[in-house]
Amino acid sequence: GAVVSQHPSWVICKSGTSVKIECRSLDFQATTMFWYRQFPKQSLMLMATSNEGSKATYEQGVEKDKFLINHASLTLSTLTVTSAHPEDSSFYICSAWDSSPYEQYFGPGTRLTVT
Amino acid sequence: GQQLNQSPQSMFIQEGEDVSMNCTSSSIFNTWLWYKQDPGEGPVLLIALYKAGELTSNGRLTAQFGITRKDSFLNISASIPSDVGIYFCAGSTGNQFYFGTGTSLTVIP
């Protein structure tokens, strides 16, 4: 299947700083990428849908000014957590949508810990 | 967003036993997907289903796209310890995906 990478896989930062997470589709072009957040023992919570060349669509309750998403190319989307706080600590997972076939492939996730 | 009803929530089974889990929705989907997630990892696609009634296998895994297009089933035969993980279903209408609540599987050697 298609491969999606995420970087970094684990990051620890201090409260108030910003963190950027990269999501890349390695062997296919993804016009649409998704960003999820996952808490322990819970399902994936969609944060936003990222479309190449346009503004991301955020789910209700997700602060777009706090979670900045940029999808500058067909293989790269970035999520920047601005002014991170301890409650932002979570597992962030991106996915890329391959429209042929209609399948979604996930990255390995990024564990964010804000101290 | 919408979440699909997935059951059971968790399962504890003996190695060698078969496993069944299902996913239901109030909405019709064009595609059903099943994923497995290991701790600290992203979900990995196991099986994708595209037609109502479709039955697809991937090794010891078999999944079916319900006739009503509102449900799907995943079966694992002769479970082994490495089957441990969380299994998620996902329904797609095209460019939108909705995930199940997950089934946590524990296989006891």
Side-chain angles (χ1 to χ4, degrees), chain A residues 18-31:
Chain A
S18 295
V19 174
K20 179 185 283 188
I21 303 170
E22 292 185 349
C23 179
R24 294 180 185 273
S25 58
L26 299 185
D27 51 1
F28 69 101
Q29 293 184 331
T31 55

Side-chain angles (χ1 to χ4, degrees), chain B residues 59-79:
Chain B
R60 292 178 296 105
L61 279 60
T62 301
Q64 184 163 24
F65 192 139
I67 292 292
T68 65
R69 295 169 62 191
K70 294 183 178 181
D71 58 4
S72 180
F73 304 86
L74 175 69
N75 295 317
I76 305 173
S77 63
S79 59

Side-chain angles (χ1 to χ4, degrees), chain B residues 15-29:
Chain B
E15 182 177 359
E17 290 183 345
D18 297 341
V19 174
S20 292
M21 60 189 78
N22 69 79
C23 203
T24 60
S25 168
S26 57
S27 303
I28 291 174
F29 291 117

Side-chain angles (χ1 to χ4, degrees), chain A residues 30-49:
Chain A
T31 55
T32 303
M33 289 185 173
F34 303 91
W35 287 96
Y36 295 86
R37 185 172 180 177
Q38 187 178 36
F39 292 103
K41 299 186 185 300
Q42 293 190 20
S43 186
L44 303 162
M45 184 187 78
L46 180 64
M47 298 176 65
T49 301

Side-chain angles (χ1 to χ4, degrees), chain A residues 30-32 50-56 70-74 76:
Chain A
T31 55
T32 303
S50 169
N51 292 296
E52 187 265 338
S54 63
K55 291 184 178 180
N70 185 292
H71 193 158
S73 76
L74 289 172
L76 173 65

